[in-house]
Amino acid sequence: MTGRERLLAALRGEVPDRVPVWAWGIHPWLGEVDPSIQPVADSYLDRGDLLCWWGGGIGTFGSAAHVPVEVKTWPSRLPDYDERVTTWHTPAGDLTQVMYVSHHGRPGYVRKYPLETFEDVRRMLSVPYEPWQPDCGSFFERDAELGDRGLMLANTGVDPMYALNHLCGSETFAIWSIEQRAMVDELIDVFLQRQLDHLRRLLAQGVGPAFGYVGPELCIPPLQSPRDFERWVVEPDRRIADAVHEAGGVLLAHCHGDMRPVLEGFVRMKADALHPIEPPPHGMTMAEAKRRVGGDLCIVGNIQHHDIESMEPRRFREVVAETVRAGMPGGRFILSPTATPFGWPTMTDRARENWTAMLDVALEVGRY
C-alpha cells in the first residue's frame, strides 16, 4: 500500500498492510530544521506516513467582514518576553487582547482575553457575518506534490466550543458555564453555524477526503464536566461530522488530556479518529482504548512525548512494540506520538534515538 492508501484504510476502519506511523509536524514543506532534529525529520519523510495539515483561513471571529485592528508591542515585566496588545475596532466598541510573546519561540501567555464581559460579547457579535471565501488552490497544489506518500488533512476550523473558549479563556468559560449557560449555548451555536458554512465551501471546491480539527480538550475534566462535554462538544460537533460524512469524507478530532471520562463521546460525535490518546499515568493504555472504542474509532497516538525524551532506549522499544501489538487487532490504529519533534530548539541524543526507534519498531512489528 502507499502511504495515502494506508492512512485512509486505517481512518475508514479497514485493515492496511501495516500499521501507519505518523509524526505530527513533519511534512515535505518543512525545509531545513536544526541539525540535531534533521535526521528524525528525514527518517519520517522517507519511511513514515505523512498526514499533512492544511488550513484555508476563516476570518476574524469566523467572519470575513473587515475589522480594523491595531497591534502594539513593547517590553514586558517578564524576562525574554514582549507584551503584545491587539485591539479590534468593532462597530460596538473596542475588544482588546494582551499576550506575552517570547523572543525565542517559547509558548505565549494570554494576560487579557478579548471576551471578559457581556459588553465584550455584544461587541464581538456586532461584527457582521460575511462568509469566508476560502482559496483552496494551495490545498490542491500540496496534494499533488504529496501524491501517494501521504494524505492532506484539511482543517475544518477549530471546534466551535474552542472558538469561544479561545476568546474568553478557561476561567471565564467555567464561570459562564455555571452562571450563563444559555449564552454559552448561543455563542457555540454561532460559531458552529460559521464552521459549517466554511466546511461546506471547502467541500464545494472538492477539498477532502480527510478533515480534522482541534480544541475539545478545553471542555473535558477537570476543566468541565462530562455532561458539559456532551452538550458543548459532542452534540454540536456531530453536525460537523455529518457534513463530512455526507461528502464521503473522514474526520479526525485532536484532543489532549485524560480521555477516560469522555472517550465514548467521540463515538457518539461520529468522529472517525481521535488523536493522541495519551497513555498512563494521566491517560489510558492502548489495550483499554481498543477494548472500549476500537470497533468504532481509529485510535491515533498513544506514545507519550515525554517518554521519547527521557525513557531508556531499550525500554522505549519495548513500549512501542507493546503499543503496536495492542493497537493492531482489527485495524483502526495509527501509531503516533502525543507531540511533534519540535518541542525544543535542539534534540538530545536519547530523543533522537527513540524517535528513530519508534519508526523502526513499528515497521518491524506492525505488519498484518
Side-chain angles (χ1 to χ4, degrees):
M1 280 184 164
T2 65
R4 180 183 178 90
E5 292 169 339
R6 188 174 297 118
L7 287 163
L8 275 174
L11 292 169
R12 288 173 169 163
E14 302 163 2
V15 177
D17 59 337
R18 65 160 172 82
V19 170
V21 188
W22 169 45
W24 184 309
I26 295 180
H27 51 76
W29 310 280
L30 186 61
E32 291 188 6
V33 295
D34 187 90
S36 66
I37 304 174
Q38 193 69 54
V40 170
D42 291 343
S43 292
Y44 279 82
L45 285 170
D46 182 43
R47 297 187 294 149
D49 300 289
L50 306 179
L51 196 56
C52 306
W53 284 90
W54 173 87
I58 198 169
T60 303
F61 313 130
S63 173
H66 174 66
V67 182
V69 61
E70 291 183 62
V71 180
K72 298 180 180 179
T73 303
W74 47 71
S76 80
R77 60 184 179 84
L78 300 180
D80 297 323
Y81 281 82
D82 284 336
E83 192 170 275
R84 186 173 66 198
V85 180
T86 303
T87 304
W88 293 272
H89 302 297
T90 79
D94 289 351
L95 290 174
T96 302
Q97 174 179 276
V98 181
M99 284 198 67
Y100 291 124
V101 181
S102 169
H103 298 166
H104 304 292
R106 296 187 177 94
Y109 301 90
V110 180
R111 178 180 172 188
K112 178 189 180 301
Y113 285 91
L115 302 186
E116 296 184 332
T117 67
F118 301 143
E119 185 62 23
D120 290 336
V121 171
R122 188 182 71 83
R123 289 170 179 151
M124 182 192 73
L125 293 177
S126 75
V127 175
Y129 174 59
E130 295 179 14
W132 183 260
Q133 305 295 331
D135 180 358
C136 300
S138 62
F139 173 87
F140 297 107
E141 290 172 5
R142 291 203 162 189
D143 190 44
E145 291 175 20
L146 183 61
D148 290 335
R149 300 169 63 192
L151 185 63
M152 297 298 295
L153 187 65
N155 196 336
T156 66
V158 296
D159 165 73
M161 176 281 308
Y162 180 86
L164 171 59
N165 205 312
H166 181 70
L167 291 170
C168 68
S170 293
E171 181 178 355
T172 296
F173 186 89
I175 293 170
W176 286 351
S177 75
I178 297 170
E179 299 179 350
Q180 301 294 333
R181 295 180 69 81
M183 184 186 73
V184 172
D185 287 338
E186 178 184 350
L187 292 173
I188 289 176
D189 189 63
V190 166
F191 287 113
L192 171 62
Q193 298 307 320
R194 296 180 183 187
Q195 297 284 350
L196 287 171
D197 199 1
H198 178 66
L199 173 59
R200 290 176 182 128
R201 291 172 186 274
L202 297 179
L203 292 168
Q205 294 190 52
V207 171
F211 295 85
Y213 72 96
V214 304
E217 60 227 47
L218 296 184
C219 198
I220 67 171
L223 292 173
Q224 300 295 143
S225 68
R227 180 187 67 160
D228 287 346
F229 178 81
E230 196 76 22
R231 177 170 177 160
W232 290 326
V233 176
V234 173
E235 293 299 326
D237 291 11
R238 185 184 295 129
R239 301 272 304 280
I240 296 172
D242 284 342
V244 169
H245 293 153
E246 287 169 8
V250 290
L251 180 67
L252 178 146
H254 171 72
C255 183
H256 281 287
D258 185 355
M259 294 295 97
R260 286 174 293 184
V262 297
L263 183 61
E264 284 77 8
F266 290 94
V267 176
R268 293 188 292 275
M269 182 198 300
K270 300 183 184 178
D272 297 284
L274 175 62
H275 175 268
I277 306 284
E278 308 209 40
H282 304 298
M284 70 181 75
T285 64
M286 176 59 67
E288 181 184 354
K290 289 290 285 191
R291 176 179 58 79
R292 289 174 57 176
V293 299
D296 301 298
L297 195 63
C298 178
I299 298 168
V300 186
N302 209 233
I303 298 297
Q304 183 56 254
H305 183 266
H306 179 72
D307 290 343
I308 299 174
E309 295 283 343
S310 62
M311 188 173 284
E312 191 276 324
R314 179 177 296 181
R315 174 57 187 149
F316 181 74
R317 295 178 71 92
E318 293 172 352
V319 167
V320 173
E322 292 166 3
T323 303
V324 170
R325 292 190 180 104
M328 286 182 68
R332 293 188 186 272
F333 171 51
I334 298 172
L335 184 72
S336 181
T338 59
T340 77
F342 311 112
W344 301 99
T346 60
M347 184 177 285
T348 65
D349 292 343
R350 171 166 291 188
R352 188 165 52 252
E353 180 177 351
N354 283 343
W355 272 102
T356 305
M358 180 168 60
L359 187 56
D360 292 340
V361 171
L363 296 183
E364 176 185 344
V365 176
R367 295 200 172 274
Y368 285 94

